[in-house]
Amino acid sequence: MAILETKKLTKAFGALTAVNDVSLAVEAGTLHSIIGPNGAGKTTLFNLLTGTFPPSSGRILYDGRDITGTPASRIAHLGLARSYQRTTVFPAFSLLDNVWTAAFATGNSWSGLMWRRTDRYPEVTERARQALSDVGLSSKSNQLAREISHGEHRQLELAIALAAAPRVLLLDEPAAGLSPDETRKMVALVRALKGRYTIVLIEHKMDIIMSVSDRISVMHFGSLIAEGTPEEIQKNPEVRRAYLGGVAA
Amino acid sequence: MKRPFILILVSIFLLPLVVRPAIASEIWIFAIFGLGLNLLLGYTGLLSFGQSTFFGSAAYVAGWLLKFYGINAFLALGIGVGVGAASAALVGYLCVQRSGLYFIMLTFALNQLFYFTAYQWTSVTGGEDGMPGIPRPVLLGIDFKDPLVYYAFVSVLFLISLYAMKRIVESPLGKILQAIRENEIRAEAVGYNVPRFKLLAFIIGGAFSGLAGVLYAMLFGIVPLEAISFVFSGNVVFATLIGGSGSLYGPVIGSFVFIWLSESVSTLWARWPLLLGMAFVIVVLFLRGGIVEAWSRFWLWRSSKQKN
Ligand SMILES: Nc1ncnc2c1ncn2[C@@H]1O[C@H](COP(=O)(O)OP(=O)(O)OP(=O)(O)O)[C@@H](O)[C@H]1O
Ligand SMILES: [Mg+2]
């Protein structure tokens, strides 16, 4: 069953149609990748799914429910969490506080919101620690986010999304700017998360995509031009022409 | 007990020996005002340039009721807190959707609106002459006309305010407001309705301002027109930045320095704002964390020297 679905989703910025008539269905429990050249509209699609801005037209269904127009701050509570292509964390916070803030938001209850000390929420803290440990940052939990390396920032980015205990993870180029070694670790991490969450992955690196995806959708100038298994996508002539070019040939 | 708390307790006892009780009271009243502002400025990252709106509104309303209806002092304080919170809810509602310079200008403009209302409405506020004749009430048989007794009363309310603010900034709310300061977009994305939390910060800050406003009116027996003017709004921003907006105690230290200087130096030297201006420039250029940061840097420097 599709857990996340878009129907004829369109977003125009003035004359530019960044997302054009996209109908997409993500099956629960799968890893579904979205690829496409720079400026294809992949990040814009995520922005629509997470309520950063409303679509110009079309609908978004989550778990069979129409969530079109739901504001960004409600989306996390529905069980959709995202990581950003360009790292966006809380710089002056410790790593633990970064994930704690995300874990608290979607916690069972906000009782004591204005009064109880933050260290008196054992289950929130536990979830936050688990998220850090999932991405391998446990040993740095007391370090400030502004003091860690780029690679660690990418891990933290993912941990913040995990801390929300989501059902669906939207990952926007988690390996952006990573060294080959860091990239290998990130791929292993994404692979480890596969199955635990439904994952929608945007990525440019073809080898990663082909090895981890259950399904792949290809975007080009805002439109979906192909969808299928990694083998099907590799063979698709239109995809080769539009995107893979010399890489797959 | 923690060191800052002991320092504050000691200051509360020593201060009346050094300055007039009225000035000593003013310091802690202004500190309550600063605590409220700093929840917005230091924790949420919102520079409100209109805090006297809440301070002044509360002072006028409670002052009026004290003067003409002789209400109980606790009731007056409660009403002040309520008026401060309500006026902040109104102003906050109009301001939280804006950001940057627009936000600052709007808090200022609304402050001006309240100021001119008070200025024009002379039958109630007394306009430029202020609203005089506000009694300091008798409570539980204690006469607050004695300046030292009133000082004790103010000190206790200050300690309660400080404790309340400490709890707030160490609660999830404090964390969420700081998250908004650090990264509004991410705070929204992880599941917080940012405008609503900003509004909450306004209301809490307004409640503290209101409490300070009523205490101020009872201290001097008058609500001067300045109490709702941009001068007071500016002063509290000034004092908080000098003390250090990055910590809970910054506005307390700032109030201490600001009120003391303005009372002692101003009588000796009419151009004392020049001194404040210079202090301000130094803080903005070199010490974003104000006196609190200077202090901790000093200790870091000392301890590093001792190790060598
Ligand atoms: N908020 C916005 N306002 C105006 N134009 C935008 C906005 N966001 C994206 N665009 C434009 O929409 C198009 C699609 O951008 P988008 O970021 O979605 O591409 P992408 O597929 O994520 O590319 P990349 O692989 O480089 O990350 C681009 O031309 C971009 O300039
Ligand atoms: Mg992108």
Side-chain angles (χ1 to χ4, degrees):
Chain A
M1 200 199 80
I3 188 167
L4 187 61
E5 223 174 323
T6 67
K7 298 227 155 112
K8 296 180 173 297
L9 202 62
T10 298
K11 179 70 185 180
F13 298 112
L16 174 82
T17 307
V19 171
N20 193 359
D21 207 28
V22 167
S23 296
L24 182 78
V26 177
E27 295 295 317
T30 61
L31 193 154
H32 193 131
S33 293
I34 297 174
I35 61 172
N38 290 112
K42 306 179 296 292
T43 298
T44 305
L45 178 63
F46 269 19
N47 285 338
L48 292 172
L49 292 174
T50 55
T52 308
F53 34 62
S56 308
S57 65
R59 296 195 300 139
I60 303 166
L61 303 178
Y62 172 71
D63 226 1
R65 240 172 84 199
D66 192 331
I67 61 161
T68 320
T70 304
S73 63
R74 289 290 325 148
I75 291 290
H77 298 275
L78 298 175
L80 270 162
R82 77 181 285 186
S83 74
Y84 288 80
Q85 179 174 2
R86 293 176 55 191
T87 304
T88 159
V89 299
F90 307 116
F93 282 13
S94 70
L95 301 200
L96 184 61
D97 281 349
N98 265 274
V99 282
W100 194 94
T101 306
F104 181 82
T106 52
N108 293 330
S109 123
W110 282 9
S111 77
L113 174 72
M114 293 171 58
W115 204 247
R116 200 186 303 170
R117 286 172 53 124
T118 50
D119 53 15
R120 305 275 158 82
Y121 289 88
E123 67 294 323
V124 176
T125 306
E126 178 49 38
R127 189 138 57 87
R129 288 198 183 282
Q130 185 60 46
L132 280 185
S133 117
D134 281 348
V135 303
L137 283 177
S138 286
S139 60
K140 308 223 161 180
S141 60
N142 291 324
Q143 222 161 317
L144 297 186
R146 68 161 105 84
E147 289 167 350
I148 59 177
S149 70
H150 174 76
E152 289 161 344
H153 263 135
R154 299 309 294 162
Q155 289 168 278
L156 177 60
E157 188 58 50
L158 188 53
I160 294 176
L162 290 176
R167 293 173 66 195
V168 179
L169 268 177
L170 307 173
L171 306 181
D172 197 347
E173 297 193 32
L178 295 186
S179 70
D181 195 40
E182 291 169 328
T183 302
R184 260 193 301 281
K185 277 192 209 149
M186 184 57 81
V187 172
L189 182 53
V190 171
R191 198 168 272 140
L193 297 173
K194 202 176 150 176
R196 279 168 63 188
Y197 306 92
T198 303
I199 299 176
V200 185
L201 174 70
I202 296 176
E203 190 47 76
H204 273 299
K205 297 183 177 117
M206 271 314 171
D207 43 341
I208 298 180
I209 288 294
M210 292 304 168
S211 70
V212 301
S213 309
D214 295 314
R215 283 194 86 72
I216 299 173
S217 295
V218 187
M219 278 183 91
H220 190 46
F221 290 123
S223 306
L224 275 187
I225 57 166
E227 197 197 307
T229 62
E231 296 74 39
E232 288 165 347
I233 293 301
Q234 252 164 339
K235 286 190 214 121
N236 187 311
E238 199 183 347
V239 174
R240 289 190 171 206
R241 218 174 313 120
Y243 181 55
L244 298 175
V247 180
Chain B
M1 271 190 288
K2 306 262 171 58
R3 202 160 49 165
F5 184 68
I6 293 170
L7 266 172
I8 284 172
L9 269 188
V10 171
S11 316
I12 285 176
F13 281 105
L14 293 185
L15 202 55
L17 305 176
V18 188
V19 296
R20 283 185 292 127
I23 306 308
S25 298
E26 197 184 350
I27 285 175
W28 303 122
I29 292 171
F30 207 71
I32 297 173
F33 193 23
L35 286 174
L37 167 74
N38 203 34
L39 190 66
L40 287 168
L41 178 61
Y43 287 90
T44 320
L46 292 173
L47 174 49
S48 163
F49 210 83
Q51 290 300 101
S52 79
T53 305
F54 325 132
F55 184 95
S57 302
Y60 278 124
V61 173
W64 176 264
L65 293 171
L66 278 166
K67 185 174 171 180
F68 293 106
Y69 297 91
I71 59 169
N72 170 295
F74 282 125
L75 185 60
L77 292 174
I79 286 171
V81 169
V83 171
S87 54
L90 180 69
V91 169
Y93 177 76
L94 295 169
C95 294
V96 294
Q97 303 286 354
R98 319 261 168 249
S99 59
L101 202 54
Y102 292 101
F103 171 87
I104 301 171
M105 291 310 289
L106 196 55
T107 59
F108 175 73
L110 291 168
N111 195 177
Q112 289 298 88
L113 201 71
F114 275 79
Y115 171 81
F116 279 108
T117 307
Y119 179 79
Q120 295 287 344
W121 200 1
T122 48
S123 59
V124 173
T125 63
E128 269 184 301
D129 300 329
M131 181 196 278
I134 291 159
R136 241 185 253 169
V138 179
L139 246 188
L140 312 170
I142 304 168
D143 189 355
F144 285 89
K145 276 195 205 67
D146 181 337
L148 269 178
V149 176
Y150 189 69
Y151 174 74
F153 181 62
V154 166
S155 302
V156 169
L157 283 167
F158 164 72
L159 287 174
I160 293 171
S161 303
L162 184 65
Y163 175 72
M165 189 51 84
K166 187 165 164 18
R167 292 298 297 249
I168 289 168
V169 301
E170 288 174 358
S171 73
L173 177 64
K175 190 74 72 200
I176 294 162
L177 295 180
Q178 292 175 76
I180 290 170
R181 177 196 70 201
E182 287 296 302
N183 188 338
E184 219 168 285
I185 290 175
R186 193 65 188 240
E188 189 90 36
V190 301
Y192 299 112
N193 186 330
V194 168
R196 206 173 288 170
F197 276 99
K198 285 181 176 175
L199 182 59
L200 188 55
F202 254 100
I203 293 172
I204 296 171
F208 277 74
S209 310
L211 176 65
V214 181
L215 288 173
Y216 186 90
M218 295 202 287
L219 173 65
F220 293 111
I222 183 172
V223 184
L225 186 59
E226 288 80 49
I228 200 163
S229 75
F230 73 87
V231 176
F232 265 50
S233 298
N235 284 352
V236 71
V237 169
F238 219 66
T240 300
L241 286 176
I242 286 179
S245 60
S247 79
L248 176 65
Y249 299 100
V252 179
I253 294 164
S255 160
F256 203 88
V257 171
F258 183 85
I259 301 290
W260 196 342
L261 277 184
S262 65
E263 292 299 331
S264 55
V265 183
S266 65
T267 54
L268 300 175
W269 189 37
R271 299 204 204 294
W272 80 278
L274 201 67
L275 207 71
L276 273 182
M278 272 161 53
F280 192 65
V281 168
I282 290 170
V283 164
V284 168
L285 288 181
F286 305 110
L287 272 176
R288 300 306 288 261
I291 292 171
V292 171
E293 189 191 320
W295 181 253
S296 57
R297 273 204 215 166
F298 172 76
W299 281 101
L300 224 74
W301 174 77
R302 275 266 315 248
S303 60
S304 73
K305 277 196 76 166
Q306 272 165 3
K307 263 183 220 141
N308 294 340

